[in-house]
Amino acid sequence: MAEVNVPQHVGIIMDGNGRWAKKRGLPRSFGHKQGAAVFKKTINWARELGVKCVTFYAFSTENWKRPADEVEGIMNLLRQYIKNYGGRDEITRAARELAREAASGEISPDGITEDSIEKLLYTAEMPPLDMIIRPSGEQRLSNFLIWQAAYAEFVF
Ligand code: IPE
Ligand code: IPE
Ligand code: MG
C-alpha cells in the first residue's frame, strides 16, 4: 500500500447551508437539512480514510441571534443527528450489529470476542480509558462508558 499521510484530527466549520439553499431557490431550512446529511456522510468518509477524530463547528454562541424559527430548526436537526449517548445503548447497538453479521453468516457466534464488541463501540479508535472524573459528589457512572470503565480509575 502506498504510504499516505492521514491527518489524525480534522476540524470542520460547517458553513454555506443558507447559500446552498438560496442558489436552488429553496428556504434556508432545506440548506440546514442538507448540511446535516452531509455531516453524517463526512463522518463515514473520515472513518474510511482512517481519520481518528473530527470536530465539527455546527453552531456558535452568535448563531443564537438568528431568527427563532431558524434556531429551532437547527436544534431539531442536532437532536436528530446527535442522539443522547447511553452506555447500555452503545453495547446494545454493538450486539445488534454482531447478531446481524452472524445471521447473515458473515461471522460465527463462537467467533464473537470481547475484541469484536470493542471494535463496534464509539471508542473503537481511541486509546483505553484510564480515568473517569466526576465532580458534584455523585459516585456513579450514570450509564457513561460502562464497558470502557472496566479498568479505569474513578475519581469522585
Ligand atoms: C452553516 O450555514 C450553519 C450554521 C452556521 C448554523 P449558514 O446558515 O451559516 O449558511 P450561510 O453562511 O448563510 O450560507
Ligand atoms: C459558521 O457560522 C460557523 C458555524 C457553523 C458556527 P456563521 O455562518 O454563523 O459564521 P459567519 O457569520 O459567517 O462568521
Ligand atoms: Mg454562514
Side-chain angles (χ1 to χ4, degrees), residues 13-22 28 31-32 57-60 63 66 70 74:
I13 300 173
M14 299 170 77
D15 198 16
N17 290 353
R19 277 162 284 176
W20 182 91
K22 194 175 175 197
R28 294 181 63 81
H32 292 315
Y57 191 24
F59 198 85
S60 68
N63 289 153
R66 292 193 183 191
E70 180 170 354
I74 294 169

Side-chain angles (χ1 to χ4, degrees), residues 5-12 46 50-57:
N5 286 321
V6 177
Q8 297 286 291
H9 185 169
V10 180
I12 296 179
V51 177
K52 289 204 167 63
C53 186
V54 186
T55 302
F56 292 90
Y57 191 24

Side-chain angles (χ1 to χ4, degrees), residues 17-38:
N17 290 353
R19 277 162 284 176
W20 182 91
K22 194 175 175 197
K23 221 163 85 183
R24 289 160 180 80
L26 298 166
R28 294 181 63 81
S29 59
F30 276 67
H32 292 315
K33 208 169 165 210
Q34 179 68 13
V38 172

Side-chain angles (χ1 to χ4, degrees), residues 55-115:
T55 302
F56 292 90
Y57 191 24
F59 198 85
S60 68
T61 28
E62 288 72 23
N63 289 153
W64 286 108
K65 295 187 196 110
R66 292 193 183 191
D69 61 334
E70 180 170 354
V71 170
E72 200 191 316
I74 294 169
M75 287 303 142
N76 283 335
L77 281 168
L78 287 174
R79 242 193 302 279
Q80 205 179 310
Y81 278 84
I82 302 166
K83 301 208 177 71
N84 274 348
Y85 169 81
R88 287 179 180 175
D89 178 73
E90 181 183 21
I91 296 166
T92 306
R93 282 162 185 274
R96 208 176 282 140
E97 174 58 26
L98 289 171
R100 249 194 299 271
E101 289 175 17
S104 74
E106 226 174 295
I107 56 167
S108 98
D110 289 332
I112 296 174
T113 60
E114 291 185 10
D115 205 43

